[in-house]
Amino acid sequence: MSGKEMSETVPKTMQAAVYRAVDEVRTETIAVPEIGPGEVLVRIDTCGICGTDLKKIHTGSHSAPRVFGHEMAGTIAAIGEGVSGFAVGDRVMAFHHIPCGACFYCRKKTFAQCETYKKVGTTAGLGLAAGGGFAEYIRVMDWIVGDGITPAGLIRVPDDIPFEQAAFIEPVNTCFKAVKLLELEPDDTVLVIGQGSIGIILAALAKQSGATVLTSDMYAERHAVATKFGLEHPLDARGDVVAACKAATDGRGADVALVAVGADALIATAMAAIRPGGRVMLFASTQHGTAPFDPAAVCMDEKTLMGSYSASVAIQQEGIDLVFEGYRSGKLDFTQLISHRFSLTDAAAGIELASHPVADSMKIVLKRSG
């Protein structure tokens, strides 16, 4: 290791699930990344497999080799010169994006459009930075670590919070951002299309507003998991979801529809399911394309089509508190969303399952061995 003040015993090599080409990820032995001044080395315990990781793996949008993974938590293994506020052995999670706080987009609180935010600040050291959580160790760069006074992207995890819960901090922030943008009210009816792990998080957070939340999915197994979060209005996605929404709202339609599935055809379904003056929030539409919808529904029926992407530092602490207190109370125990755990050795199998979900698969995570 270079430039470190203090460290635990860190090996020179580690296991990592390396992206080598489109649809090709294989476990390899690579060098543990070196850290510099202001940086931290984190030994990863848990990393979730996110849909954006899968998109990059299967579309070839990013050059190889890289190590993806950004829903991660672990223990500080080494700290670089000048790091304050953190010590070896601290339990942490790391956001892989943190904005500059000063540019036009930051002033407008559109943080995901900040050029600094678009840079990835965590890496396994192979190829360009891409998160790195699909490895045993990651290098956390200085602007993610912060100055130890002003909160940045390296977050302490209390001893009573398991790493598996802490790994949800980043995805919960992204969901919470979308729900906050909707400014839900207790008399609202909200439709959430898709009950994978992200859909359930969106629905559970929407329910906290007091709104009635309808959840749509084709798998009864997923609806069963949703009930653990107090979601009690399941709709069979193979049926007429639009009619069900209208039946639940005296014929009006839902006030809000959250689309948690990246299928363009569902945008029209969501638009049809909401009332005049209602809103559709796109959460999973991260690939460019063309989706038909009725423009008169936007103009004459005054329906709003909107989107939300990535995390927001404006709600960072509020989201962290949700994750920690939600686990302690049992009301938002996100570890219940984990259906499968794979070691780094079997990472390819975990990615394959996440890419082709089945009825009983929810959140898939990779775990460090030993």
Side-chain angles (χ1 to χ4, degrees):
M1 304 299 303
S2 69
K4 67 178 185 297
E5 291 180 309
M6 191 186 313
S7 77
E8 63 179 31
T9 301
V10 178
K12 294 185 181 299
T13 61
M14 64 178 180
Q15 280 194 321
V18 179
Y19 166 69
R20 285 290 176 184
V22 176
D23 297 331
E24 183 182 347
V25 175
R26 58 177 185 251
T27 301
E28 300 179 13
T29 298
I30 65 173
V32 172
E34 295 188 344
I35 60 172
E39 299 184 338
V40 162
L41 186 75
V42 174
R43 175 165 46 86
I44 297 297
D45 178 275
T46 301
C47 186
I49 300 174
C50 175
T52 57
D53 298 320
L54 300 176
K55 179 187 76 171
K56 295 165 188 174
I57 290 167
H58 299 312
T59 65
S61 59
H62 289 56
S63 60
R66 296 193 191 208
V67 179
F68 293 120
H70 59 268
E71 300 177 352
M72 52 203 174
T75 305
I76 293 180
I79 59 174
E81 180 183 354
V83 171
S84 61
F86 294 98
V88 170
D90 284 352
R91 305 171 79 250
V92 295
M93 67 76 58
F95 284 91
H96 60 311
H97 295 298
I98 287 291
C100 73
C103 71
F104 171 86
Y105 288 109
C106 286
R107 293 198 302 273
K108 296 296 185 181
K109 297 189 183 301
T110 314
F111 302 108
Q113 308 309 318
C114 165
E115 288 304 315
T116 297
Y117 186 92
K118 292 179 181 181
K119 296 194 301 180
V120 180
T122 61
T123 180
L126 182 66
L128 297 176
F134 297 168
E136 292 185 85
Y137 292 89
I138 61 164
R139 169 191 165 210
V140 183
M141 299 178 202
D142 55 359
W143 80 91
I144 304 293
V145 176
D147 59 12
I149 300 171
T150 304
L154 190 62
I155 309 300
R156 281 190 190 80
V157 176
D159 290 342
D160 65 325
I161 305 298
F163 287 124
E164 290 187 351
Q165 178 80 357
F168 279 95
I169 288 175
E170 190 272 346
V172 165
N173 184 303
T174 67
C175 294
F176 192 40
K177 172 185 170 182
V179 171
K180 293 273 279 189
L181 285 170
L182 290 167
E183 298 181 331
L184 299 175
E185 298 179 353
D187 64 348
D188 281 340
T189 296
V190 178
L191 168 66
V192 181
I193 298 177
Q195 287 295 278
S197 59
I198 288 296
I200 290 178
I201 293 172
L202 286 166
L205 295 178
K207 188 175 185 298
Q208 290 198 324
S209 69
T212 299
V213 180
L214 313 178
T215 55
S216 172
D217 201 277
M218 63 189 298
Y219 293 127
E221 291 87 345
R222 294 185 173 184
H223 284 304
V225 175
T227 62
K228 298 178 181 179
F229 295 86
L231 301 168
E232 301 170 344
H233 302 286
L235 303 179
D236 188 342
R238 295 167 296 186
D240 192 335
V241 171
V242 173
C245 285
K246 291 187 175 181
T249 55
D250 297 324
R252 293 186 304 273
D255 298 282
V256 168
L258 276 151
V259 185
V261 182
D264 289 344
L266 291 174
I267 298 174
T269 300
M271 290 289 281
I274 62 170
R275 63 167 173 81
R279 293 159 292 163
V280 169
M281 170 68 77
L282 303 185
F283 190 83
S285 299
T286 60
Q287 296 193 53
H288 292 286
T290 301
F293 67 92
D294 179 4
V298 174
C299 182
M300 296 177 64
D301 295 339
E302 300 181 302
K303 296 181 180 183
T304 299
L305 183 59
M306 56 195 299
S308 180
Y309 180 69
S310 202
S312 169
V313 292
I315 58 169
Q316 184 167 289
Q317 189 58 53
E318 196 175 353
I320 291 166
D321 292 342
L322 272 173
V323 174
F324 292 166
E325 296 307 319
Y327 181 81
R328 290 168 178 146
S329 69
K331 294 179 180 179
L332 292 174
D333 178 1
F334 297 115
T335 67
Q336 298 177 100
L337 296 175
I338 299 173
S339 61
H340 296 79
R341 297 166 175 84
F342 289 84
S343 68
L344 282 172
T345 303
D346 297 320
I351 290 167
E352 175 68 15
L353 178 59
S355 301
H356 302 94
V358 294
D360 65 348
S361 64
M362 295 289 292
K363 172 57 77 175
I364 316 297
V365 300
L366 300 183
K367 301 283 290 184
R368 184 181 187 273
S369 302

